[in-house]
Amino acid sequence: MSETKKTTNPKEIQEWAKKHGGIPTIIKGTDKKGKGEGLLRIHFPEKSDQDDNFEEISWEEFFKEFDHSKLALLHDPNGNFNKLVNRD
């Protein structure tokens, strides 16, 4: 069983996502009354059959909201687990 890592490093996050087939997305319909973006996710289209709820965004947009929301990525280096969590 591998350990999880927590990071806020954009380069590390992008490299991890790319290695495992992930793309930056928001979940449609989760914005707060038109203010800001919806819930952020790193989506893995090849591992999911629910692509309808995800809207791909640029990494620039992703990290703008990521930083604004003070998030970190908790992930398994082998690509089996990931979750956006509070940085604290």
Side-chain angles (χ1 to χ4, degrees):
M1 183 174 189
S2 63
E3 289 187 32
T4 57
K5 291 179 63 178
K6 187 175 180 181
T7 185
T8 59
N9 182 302
K11 183 176 179 181
E12 184 178 342
I13 293 169
Q14 280 183 276
E15 287 175 357
W16 178 86
K18 184 178 179 181
K19 178 180 178 181
H20 300 289
I23 58 173
T25 64
I26 58 169
I27 299 176
K28 295 177 188 176
T30 59
D31 64 332
K32 296 178 182 175
K33 298 181 183 178
K35 296 180 181 179
E37 297 291 350
L39 293 174
L40 291 178
R41 291 290 183 268
I42 297 176
H43 179 59
F44 299 86
E46 292 183 13
K47 297 178 182 179
S48 173
D49 60 355
Q50 299 179 0
D51 292 342
D52 293 347
N53 294 333
F54 296 93
E55 180 178 328
E56 186 172 357
I57 59 174
S58 70
W59 281 111
E60 183 178 329
E61 291 173 283
F62 180 89
F63 286 115
K64 181 179 177 184
E65 187 63 24
F66 182 84
D67 288 336
H68 175 75
S69 298
K70 298 181 178 156
L71 297 173
L73 176 67
L74 184 64
H75 70 286
D76 168 7
N78 295 321
N80 297 318
F81 169 81
N82 80 90
K83 183 176 184 178
L84 296 176
V85 298
N86 192 310
R87 289 182 185 177
D88 298 331

